[in-house]
Amino acid sequence: MAPSSLSSLSSLYLSPPNPHHACPFPALALKPTLVGLPFRTQTLAFSSKPSSTPTHNQKQTQKATKDRSQNQERDQDQTQKVNSPQADKKSFAIATGELFLGIASRLIKSRNSKRKGAGAGSELRDGPEGASVGGGGLGTRYDGKERIGIVIEDEVEPDVIWEQRIKDVEAEQKRRVVTSPGFSFSAAGLLFPYHLGVAQFLIEKGYIKETTPLAGSSAGAIVCAVIASGASMEEALTATKVLAEDCRRRGTAFRLGAVLRDVLDNFLPEDAHTRSNGRVRIAVTQILWRPRGLLVDQFDSREDLINAVITSSFIPGYLAPRPATLFRNRLCIDGGLTLFMPPTSAAQTVRVCAFPATQLGLQGIGISPDCNPENRASSREMFNWALEPAEDDILDRLFELGYLDAAVWAEENPVAEVVETDFPFVENGSA
């Protein structure tokens, strides 16, 4: 994620939603439950039947009591609007996530200028500063294929630099058929069902085939692995609800990583890594020697694939109570910090963002809640749901919203006009 995107994502929490526009698909419009409803106070009243007809004084007393009760209800109502739990009270998980984003935005700012000095778009014989992406610790002899193969500047976001190992480049070159466009899924936290809804539509309508390259960060990396595995998006949504229920009952912060690993271990098939090799690019952020975005799409085993997905989603102090995680003996954190929506290996890449792209200041986004602003939840709700699991009905609505937004995009991009099959290997392209 570019520094500006990080800052925008933090400010998204407090920014008001864009004005509503007419829904292009009124017949498919989501129910109003997606949009946040004001918190309603429930007042418990206790009363007893009078033993006799009330006197004049009793009537006056009852009227005064009723007036005071109404005033108290109005005051309480106003207090709830100002101090509603959704507005000000934050869970520990949300507070932890916000803190991480704020710190990370400061730490990553100087990354781009340093990386540009290394010569973006050039091939390297050795990894930067002698380090490898997937090698062992200091003092280890590195296999030549573990070194960085290419360093490329992103076409849509020139400030973003990404790197690949020689192994990953060779894995992509082995693919004889590549269907364009590829699809890149953004970091999204627990807004994962939105991506599932988008994927459901794209698969149904023939935009995503078995030969379509995919790329993703964090939640986007998870959905890419799910698509490549051949599983249905409905099954993935059910698995997401299992994860959400566990986190609602036992907490999210410090333990989400372990819960996510269990869900992936039970969900992904044994050959998930072979299905993903050369097709799925997973973004991770390596913090040794300096923060830099790495694209990994060669996996030695299913466990290696799951480790890559967990690493791409690793928010320090949120997924686990430690500042970083080890991936192939290298300290890494969330891939969305450096590659919010990584490019695919296809000639063109359609980028899918679970957040309103305009409010993040992002360019070149194909599918996002901006496609269907009438059905979009508020910025505050989206940010909260990204860090703390929403109720199951909201997860269902997010799935539907993703499906709808993809349908809006497809209206202007008919499958017969945009989907092409390329037989020669395309090194990289991002649209």
Side-chain angles (χ1 to χ4, degrees):
M1 183 193 298
S4 60
S5 300
L6 277 169
S7 301
S8 299
L9 187 56
S10 299
S11 63
L12 176 65
Y13 182 76
L14 297 176
S15 59
N18 286 345
H20 293 307
H21 301 289
C23 177
F25 296 93
L28 298 177
L30 298 181
K31 297 178 182 179
T33 52
L34 179 62
V35 181
L37 297 176
F39 184 84
R40 297 185 182 275
T41 311
Q42 293 183 349
T43 303
L44 298 179
F46 297 89
S47 61
S48 59
K49 186 178 291 185
S51 58
S52 60
T53 304
T55 63
H56 176 73
N57 290 337
Q58 287 176 328
K59 289 182 179 180
Q60 292 293 331
T61 302
Q62 289 175 358
K63 184 177 184 302
T65 302
K66 183 179 179 180
D67 291 339
R68 283 197 301 270
S69 177
Q70 290 176 344
N71 290 334
Q72 287 175 355
E73 287 180 9
R74 280 198 300 269
D75 293 340
Q76 193 174 24
D77 213 24
Q78 293 297 325
T79 302
Q80 289 291 352
K81 289 179 180 179
V82 176
N83 300 317
S84 76
Q86 291 184 351
D88 295 325
K89 186 178 179 181
K90 302 174 186 175
S91 69
F92 183 70
I94 293 175
T96 302
E98 288 182 359
L99 177 63
F100 168 74
L101 289 174
I103 294 174
S105 64
R106 295 178 180 273
L107 295 178
I108 303 297
K109 281 184 178 179
S110 61
R111 172 184 58 88
N112 297 324
S113 58
K114 292 181 180 179
R115 290 301 304 119
K116 284 192 173 183
S122 62
E123 295 189 4
L124 303 179
R125 294 180 178 272
D126 297 307
E129 300 182 5
S132 75
V133 180
L138 295 176
T140 302
R141 290 181 178 273
Y142 301 116
D143 185 318
K145 292 185 178 182
E146 288 295 314
R147 296 193 177 101
I148 296 298
I150 55 176
V151 181
I152 293 183
E153 180 181 286
D154 191 271
E155 292 182 5
V156 174
E157 298 182 70
D159 289 338
V160 175
I161 306 297
W162 55 269
E163 303 172 352
Q164 277 185 294
R165 301 173 307 166
I166 295 175
K167 268 188 178 182
D168 298 299
V169 175
E170 291 179 348
E172 291 179 357
Q173 290 174 339
K174 291 178 182 178
R175 295 184 64 83
R176 301 304 179 189
V177 180
V178 176
T179 299
S180 183
F183 290 88
S184 173
F185 294 85
S186 74
L190 294 172
L191 295 177
F192 181 64
Y194 178 89
H195 282 333
L196 292 178
V198 172
Q200 175 71 22
F201 178 89
L202 297 176
I203 294 171
E204 279 184 7
K205 305 304 179 183
Y207 289 92
I208 292 183
K209 305 176 182 295
E210 290 186 359
T211 52
T212 301
L214 306 167
S217 294
S218 192
I222 301 174
V223 74
C224 289
V226 169
I227 295 172
S229 74
S232 75
M233 300 303 105
E234 290 89 349
E235 290 174 345
L237 179 61
T238 300
T240 302
K241 291 178 180 178
V242 172
L243 180 148
E245 175 60 22
D246 188 296
C247 291
R248 285 194 293 263
R249 286 189 294 108
R250 303 181 183 180
T252 303
F254 295 163
R255 58 182 304 273
L256 178 59
V259 179
L260 176 59
R261 182 178 293 277
D262 287 343
V263 170
L264 291 173
D265 191 52
N266 293 326
F267 185 80
L268 293 177
E270 291 299 323
D271 63 345
H273 60 292
T274 58
R275 293 169 178 253
S276 298
N277 276 340
R279 180 188 181 189
V280 174
R281 284 179 171 179
I282 292 179
V284 301
T285 298
Q286 181 174 315
I287 60 176
L288 185 69
W289 307 88
R290 58 175 173 267
R292 54 195 176 112
L294 306 173
L295 290 179
V296 180
D297 62 357
Q298 192 280 329
F299 312 99
D300 299 327
S301 64
R302 187 177 75 117
E303 182 181 4
D304 188 41
L305 171 63
I306 292 176
N307 287 339
V309 169
I310 296 293
T311 301
S312 182
S313 307
F314 192 86
I315 298 178
Y318 180 69
L319 258 70
R322 55 181 182 272
T325 187
L326 278 177
F327 177 62
R328 297 173 180 173
N329 295 323
R330 288 292 175 179
L331 287 175
C332 299
I333 55 176
D334 194 295
L337 292 177
T338 47
L339 292 168
F340 191 55
M341 283 172 288
T344 69
S345 59
Q348 291 186 324
T349 295
V350 175
R351 302 188 181 210
V352 181
C353 183
F355 296 98
T358 53
Q359 293 189 24
L360 289 178
L362 298 175
Q363 303 297 322
I365 308 303
I367 303 172
S368 80
D370 290 337
C371 292
N372 222 345
E374 178 69 18
N375 294 326
R376 189 174 70 204
S378 71
S379 302
R380 184 190 302 272
E381 287 171 319
M382 295 289 283
F383 195 86
N384 280 353
W385 295 336
L387 296 174
E388 190 74 53
E391 296 298 326
D392 285 357
D393 62 329
I394 298 298
L395 299 179
D396 288 334
R397 291 299 178 192
L398 288 171
F399 185 95
E400 294 177 24
L401 178 58
Y403 191 97
L404 273 175
D405 291 347
V408 174
W409 172 83
E411 283 289 305
E412 298 181 358
N413 299 274
V415 65
E417 296 180 11
V418 301
V419 176
E420 299 178 352
T421 298
D422 301 324
F423 291 93
F425 171 74
V426 178
E427 183 175 339
N428 176 70
S430 179

